[in-house]
PDB file of all heavy atoms in Angstrom:
ATOM      1  N   SER A   7      65.665 132.413 146.108  1.00 39.00           N
ATOM      2  CA  SER A   7      65.735 132.101 147.529  1.00 39.00           C
ATOM      3  C   SER A   7      65.614 130.604 147.800  1.00 39.00           C
ATOM      4  O   SER A   7      65.725 130.181 148.940  1.00 39.00           O
ATOM      5  CB  SER A   7      64.648 132.840 148.279  1.00 39.00           C
ATOM      6  OG  SER A   7      63.380 132.307 147.981  1.00 39.00           O
ATOM      7  N   ASP A  11      68.458 126.869 152.980  1.00 30.00           N
ATOM      8  CA  ASP A  11      68.957 126.203 154.180  1.00 30.00           C
ATOM      9  C   ASP A  11      70.367 125.667 153.996  1.00 30.00           C
ATOM     10  O   ASP A  11      71.165 125.577 154.885  1.00 30.00           O
ATOM     11  CB  ASP A  11      68.023 125.061 154.604  1.00 30.00           C
ATOM     12  CG  ASP A  11      66.781 125.577 155.279  1.00 30.00           C
ATOM     13  OD1 ASP A  11      66.778 126.764 155.697  1.00 30.00           O
ATOM     14  OD2 ASP A  11      65.817 124.824 155.383  1.00 30.00           O
ATOM     15  N   LEU A  14      72.405 127.173 148.488  1.00 25.00           N
ATOM     16  CA  LEU A  14      72.831 126.722 147.177  1.00 25.00           C
ATOM     17  C   LEU A  14      73.146 127.907 146.286  1.00 25.00           C
ATOM     18  O   LEU A  14      72.352 128.822 146.132  1.00 25.00           O
ATOM     19  CB  LEU A  14      71.704 125.888 146.541  1.00 25.00           C
ATOM     20  CG  LEU A  14      71.961 125.363 145.129  1.00 25.00           C
ATOM     21  CD1 LEU A  14      73.119 124.380 145.158  1.00 25.00           C
ATOM     22  CD2 LEU A  14      70.724 124.702 144.563  1.00 25.00           C
ATOM     23  N   PRO A  26      74.529 130.107 156.795  1.00 42.00           N
ATOM     24  CA  PRO A  26      75.343 131.306 156.596  1.00 42.00           C
ATOM     25  C   PRO A  26      75.101 132.360 157.685  1.00 42.00           C
ATOM     26  O   PRO A  26      74.090 132.402 158.342  1.00 42.00           O
ATOM     27  CB  PRO A  26      74.817 131.834 155.243  1.00 42.00           C
ATOM     28  CG  PRO A  26      74.092 130.718 154.625  1.00 42.00           C
ATOM     29  CD  PRO A  26      73.530 129.911 155.755  1.00 42.00           C
ATOM     30  N   ARG A  29      76.118 138.403 157.014  1.00 44.00           N
ATOM     31  CA  ARG A  29      76.956 138.980 155.956  1.00 44.00           C
ATOM     32  C   ARG A  29      77.006 138.048 154.747  1.00 44.00           C
ATOM     33  O   ARG A  29      76.884 138.469 153.602  1.00 44.00           O
ATOM     34  CB  ARG A  29      78.370 139.236 156.492  1.00 44.00           C
ATOM     35  CG  ARG A  29      79.413 139.587 155.437  1.00 44.00           C
ATOM     36  CD  ARG A  29      79.079 140.880 154.723  1.00 44.00           C
ATOM     37  NE  ARG A  29      80.086 141.212 153.739  1.00 44.00           N
ATOM     38  CZ  ARG A  29      79.905 142.084 152.763  1.00 44.00           C
ATOM     39  NH1 ARG A  29      78.753 142.717 152.647  1.00 44.00           N
ATOM     40  NH2 ARG A  29      80.886 142.347 151.920  1.00 44.00           N
ATOM     41  N   GLY A  37      74.817 137.023 144.700  1.00 35.00           N
ATOM     42  CA  GLY A  37      75.778 136.426 143.792  1.00 35.00           C
ATOM     43  C   GLY A  37      75.292 135.454 142.810  1.00 35.00           C
ATOM     44  O   GLY A  37      76.099 134.832 142.095  1.00 35.00           O
ATOM     45  N   ALA A  39      73.405 135.869 140.074  1.00 33.00           N
ATOM     46  CA  ALA A  39      73.082 136.371 138.725  1.00 33.00           C
ATOM     47  C   ALA A  39      74.275 136.274 137.790  1.00 33.00           C
ATOM     48  O   ALA A  39      75.408 136.149 138.212  1.00 33.00           O
ATOM     49  CB  ALA A  39      72.624 137.811 138.828  1.00 33.00           C
ATOM     50  N   SER A  53      49.292 146.035 134.120  1.00 96.00           N
ATOM     51  CA  SER A  53      48.532 147.134 134.733  1.00 96.00           C
ATOM     52  C   SER A  53      47.203 146.614 135.258  1.00 96.00           C
ATOM     53  O   SER A  53      46.522 145.853 134.580  1.00 96.00           O
ATOM     54  CB  SER A  53      48.291 148.261 133.715  1.00 96.00           C
ATOM     55  OG  SER A  53      49.531 148.883 133.359  1.00 96.00           O
ATOM     56  N   ASP A  71      61.755 136.788 139.012  1.00 97.00           N
ATOM     57  CA  ASP A  71      60.306 136.731 138.961  1.00 97.00           C
ATOM     58  C   ASP A  71      59.792 137.420 137.704  1.00 97.00           C
ATOM     59  O   ASP A  71      60.565 137.979 136.915  1.00 97.00           O
ATOM     60  CB  ASP A  71      59.718 137.387 140.214  1.00 97.00           C
ATOM     61  CG  ASP A  71      58.316 136.913 140.543  1.00 97.00           C
ATOM     62  OD1 ASP A  71      57.740 136.127 139.761  1.00 97.00           O
ATOM     63  OD2 ASP A  71      57.776 137.332 141.597  1.00 97.00           O
ATOM     64  N   VAL A 199      66.871 139.535 158.523  1.00 98.00           N
ATOM     65  CA  VAL A 199      66.134 140.648 159.107  1.00 98.00           C
ATOM     66  C   VAL A 199      67.051 141.693 159.710  1.00 98.00           C
ATOM     67  O   VAL A 199      66.695 142.873 159.838  1.00 98.00           O
ATOM     68  CB  VAL A 199      65.121 140.139 160.141  1.00 98.00           C
ATOM     69  CG1 VAL A 199      65.824 139.564 161.377  1.00 98.00           C
ATOM     70  CG2 VAL A 199      64.142 141.224 160.535  1.00 98.00           C
ATOM     71  N   ALA A 200      68.283 141.294 160.084  1.00 98.00           N
ATOM     72  CA  ALA A 200      69.238 142.274 160.632  1.00 98.00           C
ATOM     73  C   ALA A 200      69.536 143.393 159.622  1.00 98.00           C
ATOM     74  O   ALA A 200      69.728 144.539 160.024  1.00 98.00           O
ATOM     75  CB  ALA A 200      70.550 141.565 161.007  1.00 98.00           C
ATOM     76  N   LEU A 243      45.812 155.505 152.505  1.00 93.00           N
ATOM     77  CA  LEU A 243      46.354 156.596 151.714  1.00 93.00           C
ATOM     78  C   LEU A 243      45.394 156.989 150.592  1.00 93.00           C
ATOM     79  O   LEU A 243      45.207 158.168 150.302  1.00 93.00           O
ATOM     80  CB  LEU A 243      47.713 156.194 151.132  1.00 93.00           C
ATOM     81  CG  LEU A 243      48.488 157.290 150.373  1.00 93.00           C
ATOM     82  CD1 LEU A 243      48.735 158.499 151.276  1.00 93.00           C
ATOM     83  CD2 LEU A 243      49.793 156.737 149.853  1.00 93.00           C
TER      84      LEU A 243
END
Side-chain angles (χ1 to χ4, degrees):
S7 71
D11 283 344
L14 178 64
R29 169 63 179 163
S53 293
D71 203 356
V199 68
L243 185 58

